[in-house]
Amino acid sequence: MLCLTLTGSSLDEDAHILERNRNYISMAELRLDALDASELPAAKDFPRRAGLPLILTFRRKADGGLRSVPEKKRIAFLADAAQGGYAYVDLEGDLRKADLRYEKEGARHDLEADLKARGVKIIRSFHDFKSVPDNIYDLIVKLSKGGAIPKVAVTPHSVADVITLFRVKKEIPLIKDMIVVGMGDWGVCTRILYKRIGSMLSYCCDSSSGIGQIDAKTMKTLYHADEVDERTHIYGVIGNPVLHSSSPQIHNPAFRAIHYNAIYVPFLVDDVRPFLRLAEMIQIHGFSVTIPHKRAIIPYIGHLPREVMKIGACNTVVHTARMWRGTNTDYYAFLSLVRSDIESGRIKSALVIGAGGAARAVVFALRNNLIPVTIVNRTAEHAQYLARETLSSWDTLENTPKYAGKVDLVVNTTSVGMVPDEDGDASMGFPFTGKEVAFDFVYKPRETVFLKKAEAAGCRCIHGADQLLEQGKLQFEEFSGYHYPPQIHPEIGG
Ligand code: NAP
């Protein structure tokens, strides 16, 4: 179940948010602590307005709640609202029996007993905003005592922590209904793959505004997270950072278009070694690799094409029966975008700006097609090193303009001009003559300062977004064995 968290300051606002997301969710959580005090008495009528199962929660300030209320009052507010038809009520796991007693009309009541008598399911929750506790499995068992649904919302900070969360189902197979939430950026993969960690639901928000939050529309229409089952093949992208990646937009709609029961998820990864352990544990079928792991992944790959071995950077990994097989679709995508210009003789020489991972794929691709290359780079030694490996020339970045009129292809492989540095000009004042093919690896924004200058001079321009899509299409073929569906046009670059 996808559960929308409602944190409006009024019930009308919550009803509005619910309506906006109704098609994406199957339940919602009403957060009393977000409501203005004047709204609280009407909270018991909200289930009637909502028309879907609701969790009632009054989060304490210490557990991430939005207001501070004396404890007795908080329980009384919860008890009052719970008179409405809420399907679940969330009570913190450390509340004792005595804490759940409240007074109403002069009589003493027991909230837990009241809820049980009315068939309302009780969630017993635990929050940790700093870590994943060592005793998380024991904690879940303890929270489930008395027939409650245990809920743990914890904060992973490494792949090792994420592995701990993916082990929950195996460690505690007997508890069928539980809620496990990995908070923050590291938890994103656990929130999307919530069914694989054994959680009965995943919380989502109206529009993503915070760390690690995923909005309901993305959960439902991009990931189809609620449709993941035991047979779903898992793919993903590893990197650090990784949550900005456009690759989920490339792969998820395409999997769906070919009716392949598969999902593509971003995995924030600090170290490739534990990630490969996770990959084997949850049977990841393949993954894309982005900064900074393209080189570090190579020792773990059983088979790499010779040219990819030479480049020393791998961006695609596929699981085969006995090993991980790797390739570099940046290399092949780049070649496919310039091949006709090389074959027609339009490109006979090239200037490559940058000497990092992308530059390596570009320079090797050009040199393997016998195109002479000059590399210019901010750090001259990096240019020099790549030039030596590829029998190319090199120069300092400041000398870029002196190659005007002498090269047919100018490729920017630096991150200059990439958001948030949209005003950055990677061309270093290179005066385009209009005869060059200009190729920018930066994909956000689509029209960079570099390409705007080239276009104004009359150059043929190749966009970073086209390169990104092309390399993604080749990855899709590696992952699925099918051509990328022509009817899918992912929006990347913006
Ligand atoms: P990388 O290995 O970190 O290399 C970065 C390169 O940019 C280095 O040559 C670096 O020079 C240079 N650089 C960084 N900041 C600079 C600055 N302020 N001024 C001048 N030069 C600067 O990264 P990468 O993997 O090659 O990626 C480079 C860019 O290409 C990124 O923006 C990435 O998103 C993009 N990319 C796009 C695609 C696509 O499909 N469109 C694919 C791969 C990469 P130093 O050597 O001096 O540090």
Side-chain angles (χ1 to χ4, degrees):
M1 292 184 283
L2 294 178
C3 178
L4 178 70
T5 302
L6 296 169
T7 51
S9 57
S10 73
L11 293 164
D12 282 346
E13 187 186 342
D14 282 335
H16 197 68
I17 294 170
L18 188 61
E19 229 32 72
R20 206 161 44 218
N21 290 281
R22 190 175 286 281
N23 291 340
Y24 314 132
I25 56 168
S26 48
M27 62 185 301
E29 176 192 43
L30 181 72
R31 286 275 300 272
L32 290 183
D33 53 290
L35 288 173
D36 287 341
S38 59
E39 295 281 315
L40 290 173
K44 59 167 112 29
D45 300 327
F46 196 69
R48 236 181 346 96
R49 290 175 78 177
L52 45 64
L54 287 180
I55 300 174
L56 180 67
T57 301
F58 198 134
R59 193 61 64 236
R60 294 183 299 212
K61 191 96 178 171
D63 293 325
L66 298 171
R67 69 160 68 206
S68 215
V69 178
E71 194 51 18
K72 282 277 166 219
K73 259 187 150 177
R74 188 178 75 97
I75 298 299
F77 279 134
L78 258 177
D80 183 54
Q83 301 294 318
Y86 287 89
Y88 306 84
V89 173
D90 183 324
L91 302 173
E92 291 73 10
D94 58 4
L95 292 178
R96 292 157 308 155
K97 235 180 164 23
D99 300 324
L100 291 167
R101 298 216 174 96
Y102 65 101
E103 284 200 18
K104 194 179 166 197
E105 292 156 6
R108 283 173 75 76
H109 297 266
D110 178 333
L111 177 55
E112 196 174 16
D114 289 355
L115 295 173
K116 279 186 177 165
R118 282 189 286 115
V120 179
K121 291 188 178 139
I122 296 172
I123 296 169
R124 283 295 198 151
S125 58
F126 168 84
H127 292 80
D128 186 333
F129 293 94
K130 291 209 177 86
S131 64
V132 175
D134 291 340
N135 62 342
I136 185 163
Y137 309 131
D138 293 340
L139 199 62
I140 293 172
V141 173
K142 212 166 139 198
L143 290 169
S144 72
K145 292 269 154 63
I149 297 170
K151 170 188 168 182
V152 287
V154 296
T155 312
H157 286 291
S158 63
V159 176
D161 285 344
V162 169
I163 288 175
T164 301
L165 296 182
F166 273 103
R167 286 184 64 85
V168 164
K169 205 171 163 180
K170 198 160 170 240
E171 294 287 336
I172 324 171
L174 295 181
I175 300 181
K176 293 292 169 234
D177 286 341
M178 62 177 138
I179 303 170
V180 182
V181 182
M183 296 189 285
D185 284 354
W186 287 92
V188 165
C189 60
T190 68
R191 312 263 285 265
I192 298 170
L193 294 171
Y194 69 98
K195 289 186 137 184
R196 286 295 178 92
I197 62 172
S199 183
M200 61 183 262
L201 62 83
S202 188
Y203 294 94
C204 40
C205 59
D206 176 34
S207 60
S208 174
S209 57
I211 304 167
Q213 287 187 336
I214 312 170
D215 62 88
K217 186 176 179 191
T218 301
M219 274 289 218
K220 180 72 187 172
T221 63
L222 178 64
Y223 293 111
H224 300 275
D226 55 335
E227 292 171 44
V228 168
D229 58 30
E230 289 305 319
R231 293 185 308 274
T232 304
H233 288 184
I234 301 173
Y235 293 87
V237 50
I238 67 166
N240 189 1
V242 76
L243 300 180
H244 66 285
S245 170
S246 304
S247 295
Q249 277 87 342
I250 296 176
H251 294 288
N252 284 308
F255 285 152
R256 221 166 161 79
I258 63 164
H259 305 290
Y260 179 24
N261 182 2
I263 185 169
Y264 184 98
V265 178
F267 290 95
L268 186 56
V269 164
D270 47 356
D271 185 351
V272 294
R273 205 182 160 87
F275 171 75
L276 289 172
R277 202 151 65 79
L278 173 69
E280 280 169 28
M281 195 179 117
I282 63 173
Q283 294 179 354
I284 291 177
H285 280 66
F287 55 93
S288 315
V289 186
T290 187
I291 297 170
H293 303 308
K294 287 185 183 181
R295 191 176 273 272
I297 195 74
I298 288 183
Y300 302 96
I301 305 298
H303 179 265
L304 266 182
R306 201 185 65 86
E307 58 270 29
V308 178
M309 195 91 88
K310 282 269 180 206
I311 298 167
C314 165
N315 79 333
T316 309
V317 180
V318 183
H319 189 261
T320 62
R322 273 174 295 143
M323 65 177 83
W324 292 104
R325 188 168 52 77
T327 188
N328 187 322
T329 62
D330 287 336
Y331 173 94
Y332 298 105
F334 172 76
L335 268 184
S336 79
L337 291 169
V338 294
R339 180 165 288 125
S340 61
D341 289 312
I342 292 176
E343 285 173 2
S344 70
R346 180 173 180 180
I347 295 176
K348 293 199 193 70
S349 60
L351 180 71
V352 175
I353 307 170
R360 294 185 68 81
V362 167
V363 175
F364 273 96
L366 291 168
R367 294 298 295 127
N368 286 346
N369 283 272
L370 303 177
I371 305 294
V373 176
T374 301
I375 304 158
V376 289
N377 190 48
R378 179 178 63 179
T379 309
E381 300 84 73
H382 296 166
Q384 202 174 359
Y385 186 81
L386 181 55
R388 204 178 307 128
E389 273 184 282
T390 56
L391 301 179
S392 302
S393 308
W394 69 275
D395 209 334
T396 58
L397 196 56
E398 294 70 34
N399 281 336
T400 302
K402 97 175 187 204
Y403 291 89
K406 295 184 187 148
V407 289
D408 312 309
L409 170 69
V410 185
V411 192
N412 171 41
T413 67
T414 74
S415 44
V416 176
M418 186 79 146
V419 286
D421 172 35
E422 293 104 312
D423 297 332
D425 177 8
S427 75
M428 291 299 290
F430 181 93
F432 288 101
T433 65
K435 294 204 185 97
E436 301 88 357
V437 173
F439 196 135
D440 199 344
F441 262 57
V442 168
Y443 53 86
K444 222 172 203 167
R446 185 174 168 81
E447 303 295 338
T448 57
V449 173
F450 174 87
L451 285 184
K452 278 182 191 159
K453 283 190 169 173
E455 193 159 30
C459 297
R460 168 167 131 70
C461 292
I462 306 177
H463 296 78
D466 297 335
Q467 164 73 20
L468 184 64
L469 184 56
E470 195 56 34
Q471 66 79 31
K473 287 180 174 179
L474 295 175
Q475 281 185 337
F476 184 81
E477 289 182 10
E478 295 286 339
F479 292 157
S480 69
Y482 284 83
H483 288 309
Y484 196 81
Q487 71 274 27
I488 303 296
H489 303 285
E491 263 192 37
I492 42 180

